[in-house]
Amino acid sequence: MDIGSCVDKWRNSSYLIQGLGRGDVSIQTSSVPQIDFKQKNFQRKSLESLVEGLKLSGFNCSSRKVSHDFSYFRATPKNRSVLPDFWKQWPGVAKDVRQPDFIPTEKIFSSILRLSSAGTVLFMHYDVMDNVLLQICGRKEIILFPPKELEKLQPALPKNGNDLLCDPRCYDARRWLFRYR
C-alpha cells in the first residue's frame, strides 16, 4: 500500500523538524520503556528537541538501537473540545501522507499524529471509534483483545473509562482474566 513520500522524507530529521515547526509541545517522558499515564510525567519540549531525541533513539529506521530516554508525543489541539485533525494541524508534513483509498474522507472522526522513541511501551487502553494505524517508520507491536473481554482485562476501570493502566505484556492473567470463566 502506497502511503506517500513520508516513508522516505520523514527519515530525514531536518526535514521533519522543518515540517513540524519548532514550537513547544507537551511530551510524556520516562527513564523506563513503560509510559505510565498515572504519573503524568509530561515535560514541555520543543518539537526540534523531540525529533532530535527520536533520531538518537533509532527513529531514523536504520537501526534497532533503544534509547534510555523514552518519549511519547500525542498531538492534540490546545482546545480539547476540537477534534484532532492531522491534515489541518500539521500541513507541513501531512502533504507527505497519502490517505489510503479504503478510508472515505467523510468517515474520518479524528486523526492524530503520534511520535515515540524506539522501545517505548504505551499504557493499555481502548478506543471507541474504529482505528487505522499508518506506521511510517520503525516497528510497533500491537496487542488486540475482543471488545467483549474489556471487563476481564482490568478489575476496575479508571474514571475516564478508556485508559487501562497496565502493560499487556506484563499483565497477570492468572489474577484477573481467569476469574471470569
Side-chain angles (χ1 to χ4, degrees), residues 68-173:
H68 291 287
D69 181 23
F70 299 90
S71 300
Y72 171 65
F73 170 60
R74 180 181 182 269
T76 55
K78 289 181 182 174
N79 179 351
R80 298 292 288 206
S81 66
V82 174
L83 289 174
D85 187 338
F86 166 73
W87 313 102
K88 290 179 183 173
Q89 293 169 301
W90 305 98
V93 292
K95 63 184 173 26
D96 303 329
V97 180
R98 183 178 172 276
Q99 181 179 315
D101 295 333
F102 64 86
I103 306 172
T105 303
E106 67 276 6
K107 297 287 185 180
I108 294 176
F109 177 74
S110 68
S111 52
I112 301 170
L113 172 67
R114 298 172 193 258
L115 300 171
S116 64
S117 54
T120 300
V121 178
L122 295 184
F123 39 87
M124 192 165 64
H125 68 280
Y126 71 89
D127 296 318
V128 176
M129 305 302 282
D130 293 337
N131 283 259
V132 173
L133 170 69
L134 298 178
Q135 180 75 22
I136 306 301
C137 184
R139 297 167 35 119
K140 180 167 292 301
E141 177 184 13
I142 299 173
I143 300 171
L144 300 174
F145 296 95
K148 67 181 184 179
E149 302 297 322
L150 177 63
E151 292 297 325
K152 298 176 186 176
L153 294 173
Q154 186 83 359
L157 294 175
K159 291 179 185 174
N160 69 3
N162 68 352
D163 292 317
L164 303 174
L165 305 175
C166 64
D167 177 353
R169 297 176 312 165
C170 303
Y171 196 72
D172 185 357

Side-chain angles (χ1 to χ4, degrees), residues 13 49-60 63-69 117-118:
S13 59
S49 69
L50 169 66
V51 171
E52 286 300 322
L54 296 178
K55 182 175 84 172
L56 294 174
S57 76
F59 185 75
N60 62 11
S63 109
R64 289 189 183 175
K65 177 183 170 191
V66 176
S67 168
H68 291 287
D69 181 23
S117 54

Side-chain angles (χ1 to χ4, degrees), residues 24-43:
D24 283 351
V25 293
S26 181
I27 298 168
Q28 216 167 349
T29 60
S30 176
S31 60
V32 297
Q34 291 78 14
I35 298 291
D36 183 351
F37 194 72
K38 288 188 287 190
Q39 293 183 21
K40 306 253 187 248
N41 49 352
F42 295 94
Q43 294 179 4

